[in-house]
Structures are given as structure tokens and as C-alpha cells.
Amino acid sequence: MHTIWLSGAEWLAVLRIGLGLWWLESWRHKDKKSWFAGGGITWAAGIAAAHRWPAVRTSFERFVAPHPRLMAYLVAYAELALGLGLIVGFLTPIALVAGAVLNLIYLLLMIHDWAEQGQNLMMGLISVTGLLAVSWQSWSLDSALGLFLR
């Protein structure tokens, strides 16, 4: 498919790179000192404790609360890895699936916050679109290395 300026595959690469920049910004704007000291997980614990769905509270208490430091590092560096991976197009299908899952987790945790819902829905939609449309076929290390061929 050709468009006026770029091919369809190149527009998908633009979308993928834009999503990667969005993830990179999610990582960059965190106050790392506070986040790694437990601030981010403490904030999320307050939201989970007051959540309207008991399953979210229970899951948070079972999986996240016992390991706050590990989870803080896991979330922050997952966002960094997603951003870098999508920007350079390395292991792109894995990054797109992981990003969609992380957005779903954020969406479920922040279900009452309309601003967060919009961001996570948009990022999730871009992830699914990028995955189904094979967005790594142009401008990516995956393409250059012959990984994940169609």
C-alpha cells in the first residue's frame, strides 16, 4: 500500500516509534528516587485498596504488595525496555504484546480515572494495531536481522 508520502509499512513504523517514545516518556517522567524508594508502589497500593473490584485488590495484595521494591524496578525498567525496543524495532512483537498487557494492568488499576483510561486505551490500541499489521517490517532491527518475518 502506498500513500502520498510514505508506504503503509513506513506509516506503521512511525506509529510504532511514536508508541516507543510514549513509553520512554512514561519512564523519563518518573521521579526515580521516590519511585524506587517505594513511592510508586505505595501510591498504587492506595488505589488498589480503594478499588471497586475485589479481584484487583486481591491481586495487588498477593503479587505486588509483598515485593514493592522489585515491582518498582520491574515497572520502571519494563517501560524503558518497551520504549527502546519499539523505537529501534527490536523484538517488536514481544514488546507490543508486553506493552498491551502492561496497559491493560494500568487500565484495570486506574479504572476510575478517565484521563488514565484514555492514555492506556490509546496505547493498547496502537500496540494491537502494530502487532496485527506487522509494524516491524520497516525501519527496524527486526527487519534488518530477518527476525519475525511475515
Side-chain angles (χ1 to χ4, degrees), residues 3 14 28 44 46 49 58 62 67 81-82 86 102 105 119 122 126-128 148-149:
T3 60
V14 168
R28 189 202 62 80
T58 303
R62 182 172 296 147
H67 314 286
L82 288 169
L86 291 170
L102 194 54
I105 291 168
Q119 173 178 321
M122 289 298 294
I126 294 168
S127 292
V128 170
F148 309 110
L149 299 176

Side-chain angles (χ1 to χ4, degrees), residues 26-149:
S26 293
W27 175 81
R28 189 202 62 80
H29 87 269
K30 282 182 174 37
D31 175 358
K32 307 298 183 300
K33 185 176 181 183
S34 170
W35 184 266
F36 294 136
I41 301 303
T42 301
W43 167 79
I47 293 168
H51 206 280
R52 65 178 90 166
W53 297 340
V56 172
R57 267 193 311 276
T58 303
S59 296
F60 190 91
E61 291 167 1
R62 182 172 296 147
F63 299 109
V64 179
H67 314 286
R69 187 171 170 89
L70 172 66
M71 290 299 166
Y73 277 93
L74 183 64
V75 166
Y77 286 105
E79 291 177 352
L80 176 63
L82 288 169
L84 294 174
L86 291 170
I87 290 167
V88 301
F90 184 63
L91 301 177
T92 309
I94 296 166
L96 290 167
V97 169
V101 169
L102 194 54
N103 281 125
L104 180 61
I105 291 168
Y106 291 170
L107 179 68
L108 291 175
L109 182 61
M110 298 296 296
I111 198 74
H112 66 282
D113 186 333
W114 288 104
E116 285 291 325
Q117 282 183 346
Q119 173 178 321
N120 289 303
L121 284 171
M122 289 298 294
M123 291 175 81
L125 177 62
I126 294 168
S127 292
V128 170
T129 300
L131 183 65
L132 296 177
V134 192
S135 65
W136 54 91
Q137 58 188 315
S138 190
W139 301 344
S140 72
L141 288 176
D142 291 338
S143 177
L145 298 172
L147 302 175
F148 309 110
L149 299 176

